Amino acid sequence: MLAIIEIGKIQYKISENSEIYVEKVTGKPHDLIKIDKVLMIDKKIGHPYLKNSYVECEILKHGKKEKITVIHHISQKHHTRKYGHRQAYTKLLVKKINLND
């Protein structure tokens, strides 16, 4: 069973027992969370979301991605600034996709 869900303004195509990396979600590892922003399940499409449908996920871990280096340069002012950023993420395991008509 395939589904498309929305977490933090980003859409993910998922299936049962798949692992996805999303923006950081509140909760501890091994907690179950319920995502009710389901856009599509199989061939049923919501407007914008399917009513009474949800996806149940387990939080596997939290972490940070690799560091990216950003250089901010203003040529006419002789200004250069270098800094780094690490984006936080949450790894989820999709347990159950529930479609209630």
Side-chain angles (χ1 to χ4, degrees):
M1 182 179 285
L2 290 173
I4 296 177
I5 59 172
E6 181 179 326
I7 301 174
K9 302 297 179 191
I10 299 174
Q11 298 174 0
Y12 299 93
K13 181 179 171 184
I14 60 168
S15 61
E16 289 185 359
N17 297 321
S18 63
E19 296 178 352
I20 57 173
Y21 291 90
V22 298
E23 291 181 7
K24 185 154 186 187
V25 178
T26 57
K28 296 180 180 179
H30 306 295
D31 284 351
L32 290 177
I33 60 170
K34 197 182 271 190
I35 301 165
D36 58 351
K37 292 186 175 182
V38 181
L39 299 166
M40 185 182 90
I41 295 179
D42 284 334
K43 297 197 180 201
K44 276 198 135 334
I45 299 173
H47 300 285
Y49 305 113
L50 289 170
K51 294 182 179 179
N52 302 323
S53 298
Y54 64 89
V55 174
E56 199 170 277
C57 298
E58 178 185 355
I59 296 175
L60 295 179
K61 71 174 187 172
H62 297 290
K64 288 187 175 184
K65 294 185 179 178
E66 291 182 7
K67 185 177 221 177
I68 61 167
T69 304
V70 181
I71 298 174
H72 184 199
H73 178 69
I74 301 174
S75 63
Q76 296 172 350
K77 305 231 180 224
H78 302 289
H79 172 77
T80 302
R81 180 169 180 234
K82 178 180 175 183
Y83 58 94
H85 174 72
R86 292 184 72 189
Q87 183 68 38
Y89 71 87
T90 301
K91 185 177 181 181
L92 298 177
L93 174 66
V94 179
K95 291 282 193 179
K96 180 180 174 184
I97 297 173
N98 189 5
L99 171 65
N100 290 335
D101 293 328

